[in-house]
Short mmCIF file of all heavy atoms in Angstrom, two decimals:
data_model
loop_
_atom_site.label_atom_id
_atom_site.label_comp_id
_atom_site.label_asym_id
_atom_site.label_seq_id
_atom_site.Cartn_x
_atom_site.Cartn_y
_atom_site.Cartn_z
N MET X 310 -15.77 9.31 -38.22
CA MET X 310 -15.65 10.60 -37.53
C MET X 310 -16.45 11.69 -38.25
O MET X 310 -17.04 12.56 -37.63
CB MET X 310 -14.17 11.00 -37.40
CG MET X 310 -13.34 10.15 -36.44
SD MET X 310 -14.12 9.74 -34.86
CE MET X 310 -14.15 11.32 -34.05
N ARG X 311 -16.47 11.61 -39.59
CA ARG X 311 -17.24 12.59 -40.34
C ARG X 311 -18.74 12.45 -40.00
O ARG X 311 -19.48 13.43 -39.81
CB ARG X 311 -17.03 12.39 -41.84
CG ARG X 311 -17.49 13.56 -42.68
CD ARG X 311 -17.43 13.21 -44.14
NE ARG X 311 -16.07 13.23 -44.67
CZ ARG X 311 -15.51 14.31 -45.25
NH1 ARG X 311 -16.19 15.42 -45.34
NH2 ARG X 311 -14.28 14.25 -45.73
N ASN X 312 -19.18 11.20 -39.89
CA ASN X 312 -20.57 10.91 -39.53
C ASN X 312 -20.88 11.45 -38.14
O ASN X 312 -21.90 12.12 -37.93
CB ASN X 312 -20.79 9.40 -39.61
CG ASN X 312 -22.24 9.04 -39.31
OD1 ASN X 312 -23.15 9.75 -39.72
ND2 ASN X 312 -22.44 7.95 -38.59
N ILE X 313 -19.98 11.20 -37.19
CA ILE X 313 -20.17 11.70 -35.82
C ILE X 313 -20.22 13.22 -35.81
O ILE X 313 -21.05 13.84 -35.15
CB ILE X 313 -19.02 11.17 -34.92
CG1 ILE X 313 -19.18 9.65 -34.72
CG2 ILE X 313 -19.03 11.88 -33.57
CD1 ILE X 313 -18.01 9.00 -33.99
N TYR X 314 -19.31 13.82 -36.61
CA TYR X 314 -19.29 15.28 -36.65
C TYR X 314 -20.64 15.83 -37.12
O TYR X 314 -21.21 16.74 -36.50
CB TYR X 314 -18.21 15.79 -37.63
CG TYR X 314 -17.99 17.29 -37.54
CD1 TYR X 314 -17.06 17.82 -36.67
CD2 TYR X 314 -18.82 18.16 -38.25
CE1 TYR X 314 -16.91 19.20 -36.55
CE2 TYR X 314 -18.67 19.54 -38.13
CZ TYR X 314 -17.71 20.05 -37.29
OH TYR X 314 -17.57 21.39 -37.14
N ASN X 315 -21.19 15.23 -38.18
CA ASN X 315 -22.45 15.72 -38.70
C ASN X 315 -23.60 15.57 -37.72
O ASN X 315 -24.50 16.42 -37.65
CB ASN X 315 -22.78 15.02 -40.03
CG ASN X 315 -21.84 15.51 -41.12
OD1 ASN X 315 -21.32 16.63 -41.08
ND2 ASN X 315 -21.57 14.63 -42.10
N ILE X 316 -23.55 14.48 -36.94
CA ILE X 316 -24.61 14.27 -35.91
C ILE X 316 -24.51 15.36 -34.85
O ILE X 316 -25.52 15.97 -34.46
CB ILE X 316 -24.47 12.86 -35.29
CG1 ILE X 316 -24.77 11.80 -36.35
CG2 ILE X 316 -25.40 12.71 -34.09
CD1 ILE X 316 -24.39 10.39 -35.93
N VAL X 317 -23.27 15.63 -34.35
CA VAL X 317 -23.12 16.64 -33.31
C VAL X 317 -23.51 18.01 -33.85
O VAL X 317 -24.22 18.77 -33.18
CB VAL X 317 -21.65 16.67 -32.78
CG1 VAL X 317 -21.44 17.84 -31.82
CG2 VAL X 317 -21.31 15.34 -32.09
N LEU X 318 -23.10 18.30 -35.09
CA LEU X 318 -23.42 19.59 -35.67
C LEU X 318 -24.95 19.79 -35.74
O LEU X 318 -25.49 20.83 -35.32
CB LEU X 318 -22.80 19.73 -37.06
CG LEU X 318 -23.13 21.03 -37.82
CD1 LEU X 318 -22.70 22.25 -37.03
CD2 LEU X 318 -22.47 21.02 -39.21
N GLU X 319 -25.65 18.78 -36.22
CA GLU X 319 -27.08 18.87 -36.36
C GLU X 319 -27.73 19.03 -34.96
O GLU X 319 -28.64 19.84 -34.77
CB GLU X 319 -27.65 17.62 -37.07
CG GLU X 319 -29.13 17.61 -37.34
CD GLU X 319 -29.62 18.77 -38.22
OE1 GLU X 319 -28.82 19.28 -39.03
OE2 GLU X 319 -30.82 19.16 -38.09
N ALA X 320 -27.22 18.27 -34.00
CA ALA X 320 -27.75 18.37 -32.61
C ALA X 320 -27.54 19.78 -32.08
O ALA X 320 -28.42 20.36 -31.43
CB ALA X 320 -27.06 17.34 -31.72
N GLN X 321 -26.35 20.34 -32.36
CA GLN X 321 -26.03 21.66 -31.85
C GLN X 321 -26.90 22.73 -32.51
O GLN X 321 -27.43 23.61 -31.85
CB GLN X 321 -24.52 21.94 -32.06
CG GLN X 321 -23.94 22.95 -31.07
CD GLN X 321 -23.86 24.35 -31.64
OE1 GLN X 321 -24.22 24.61 -32.77
NE2 GLN X 321 -23.37 25.27 -30.82
N VAL X 322 -27.04 22.66 -33.83
CA VAL X 322 -27.83 23.66 -34.58
C VAL X 322 -29.28 23.62 -34.11
O VAL X 322 -29.89 24.67 -33.84
CB VAL X 322 -27.68 23.40 -36.08
CG1 VAL X 322 -28.71 24.22 -36.86
CG2 VAL X 322 -26.26 23.70 -36.54
N ARG X 323 -29.82 22.43 -33.96
CA ARG X 323 -31.22 22.30 -33.49
C ARG X 323 -31.38 22.91 -32.12
O ARG X 323 -32.38 23.56 -31.82
CB ARG X 323 -31.63 20.84 -33.44
CG ARG X 323 -31.84 20.22 -34.82
CD ARG X 323 -32.28 18.77 -34.68
NE ARG X 323 -32.41 18.17 -36.00
CZ ARG X 323 -33.22 17.17 -36.27
NH1 ARG X 323 -33.93 16.62 -35.31
NH2 ARG X 323 -33.29 16.69 -37.48
N SER X 324 -30.43 22.63 -31.24
CA SER X 324 -30.52 23.14 -29.86
C SER X 324 -30.42 24.66 -29.82
O SER X 324 -31.19 25.32 -29.10
CB SER X 324 -29.40 22.56 -29.00
OG SER X 324 -29.40 21.16 -29.09
N VAL X 325 -29.46 25.22 -30.57
CA VAL X 325 -29.33 26.68 -30.60
C VAL X 325 -30.62 27.30 -31.14
O VAL X 325 -31.10 28.29 -30.61
CB VAL X 325 -28.11 27.11 -31.44
CG1 VAL X 325 -28.09 28.64 -31.65
CG2 VAL X 325 -26.80 26.66 -30.77
N GLU X 326 -31.13 26.67 -32.19
CA GLU X 326 -32.37 27.17 -32.80
C GLU X 326 -33.50 27.28 -31.76
O GLU X 326 -34.29 28.22 -31.80
CB GLU X 326 -32.76 26.18 -33.92
CG GLU X 326 -33.78 26.68 -34.88
CD GLU X 326 -33.47 28.03 -35.46
OE1 GLU X 326 -32.27 28.30 -35.83
OE2 GLU X 326 -34.39 28.86 -35.50
N ALA X 327 -33.54 26.34 -30.82
CA ALA X 327 -34.63 26.29 -29.85
C ALA X 327 -34.43 27.25 -28.69
O ALA X 327 -35.34 27.42 -27.85
CB ALA X 327 -34.75 24.86 -29.32
N MET X 328 -33.28 27.89 -28.59
CA MET X 328 -33.03 28.75 -27.43
C MET X 328 -33.83 30.04 -27.54
O MET X 328 -33.67 30.80 -28.50
CB MET X 328 -31.51 29.04 -27.29
CG MET X 328 -30.71 27.80 -26.92
SD MET X 328 -28.91 28.09 -26.89
CE MET X 328 -28.68 28.71 -25.22
N GLN X 329 -34.70 30.28 -26.58
CA GLN X 329 -35.51 31.49 -26.54
C GLN X 329 -36.16 31.60 -25.16
O GLN X 329 -36.17 30.64 -24.40
CB GLN X 329 -36.61 31.41 -27.62
CG GLN X 329 -37.49 30.19 -27.49
CD GLN X 329 -38.56 30.12 -28.52
OE1 GLN X 329 -38.94 31.14 -29.10
NE2 GLN X 329 -39.09 28.94 -28.76
N PRO X 330 -36.69 32.79 -24.85
CA PRO X 330 -37.34 32.92 -23.53
C PRO X 330 -38.45 31.90 -23.39
O PRO X 330 -39.15 31.60 -24.34
CB PRO X 330 -37.90 34.35 -23.54
CG PRO X 330 -37.17 35.06 -24.63
CD PRO X 330 -36.78 34.02 -25.63
N GLY X 331 -38.57 31.29 -22.20
CA GLY X 331 -39.67 30.39 -21.91
C GLY X 331 -39.33 28.92 -22.03
O GLY X 331 -40.04 28.08 -21.46
N ILE X 332 -38.26 28.58 -22.71
CA ILE X 332 -37.94 27.15 -22.81
C ILE X 332 -37.18 26.72 -21.56
O ILE X 332 -36.37 27.44 -21.01
CB ILE X 332 -37.13 26.82 -24.11
CG1 ILE X 332 -36.99 25.28 -24.25
CG2 ILE X 332 -35.74 27.48 -24.12
CD1 ILE X 332 -36.56 24.83 -25.63
N HIS X 333 -37.48 25.51 -21.11
CA HIS X 333 -36.87 24.98 -19.89
C HIS X 333 -35.49 24.39 -20.18
O HIS X 333 -35.30 23.78 -21.24
CB HIS X 333 -37.81 23.90 -19.29
CG HIS X 333 -37.52 23.63 -17.87
ND1 HIS X 333 -36.45 22.89 -17.46
CD2 HIS X 333 -38.15 24.03 -16.76
CE1 HIS X 333 -36.44 22.82 -16.12
NE2 HIS X 333 -37.48 23.53 -15.68
N GLY X 334 -34.54 24.58 -19.28
CA GLY X 334 -33.17 24.09 -19.46
C GLY X 334 -33.13 22.59 -19.72
O GLY X 334 -32.36 22.10 -20.53
N LYS X 335 -34.00 21.85 -19.02
CA LYS X 335 -34.10 20.40 -19.18
C LYS X 335 -34.50 20.03 -20.61
O LYS X 335 -33.95 19.11 -21.19
CB LYS X 335 -35.18 19.92 -18.19
CG LYS X 335 -34.93 18.55 -17.60
CD LYS X 335 -36.09 18.15 -16.68
CE LYS X 335 -36.06 18.92 -15.37
NZ LYS X 335 -37.10 18.49 -14.43
N ASP X 336 -35.47 20.77 -21.14
CA ASP X 336 -35.95 20.48 -22.50
C ASP X 336 -34.89 20.80 -23.53
O ASP X 336 -34.81 20.11 -24.55
CB ASP X 336 -37.24 21.28 -22.80
CG ASP X 336 -38.35 20.89 -21.82
OD1 ASP X 336 -38.32 19.74 -21.34
OD2 ASP X 336 -39.22 21.74 -21.53
N LEU X 337 -34.12 21.85 -23.28
CA LEU X 337 -33.06 22.19 -24.21
C LEU X 337 -32.03 21.09 -24.23
O LEU X 337 -31.55 20.69 -25.31
CB LEU X 337 -32.39 23.48 -23.75
CG LEU X 337 -32.79 24.76 -24.46
CD1 LEU X 337 -32.01 25.94 -23.89
CD2 LEU X 337 -32.56 24.67 -25.96
N ASP X 338 -31.66 20.62 -23.07
CA ASP X 338 -30.69 19.51 -22.97
C ASP X 338 -31.20 18.28 -23.73
O ASP X 338 -30.43 17.59 -24.40
CB ASP X 338 -30.42 19.18 -21.52
CG ASP X 338 -29.45 18.01 -21.37
OD1 ASP X 338 -28.24 18.25 -21.31
OD2 ASP X 338 -29.90 16.85 -21.31
#
Side-chain angles (χ1 to χ4, degrees):
Chain X
M310 291 316 291
R311 195 189 284 268
N312 182 38
I313 291 172
Y314 189 92
N315 289 333
I316 293 168
V317 173
L318 177 59
E319 183 61 26
Q321 205 263 0
V322 168
R323 287 181 183 206
S324 306
V325 170
E326 196 50 43
M328 292 175 87
Q329 57 178 339
I332 187 165
H333 199 283
K335 214 182 286 185
D336 298 332
L337 260 180
D338 178 88

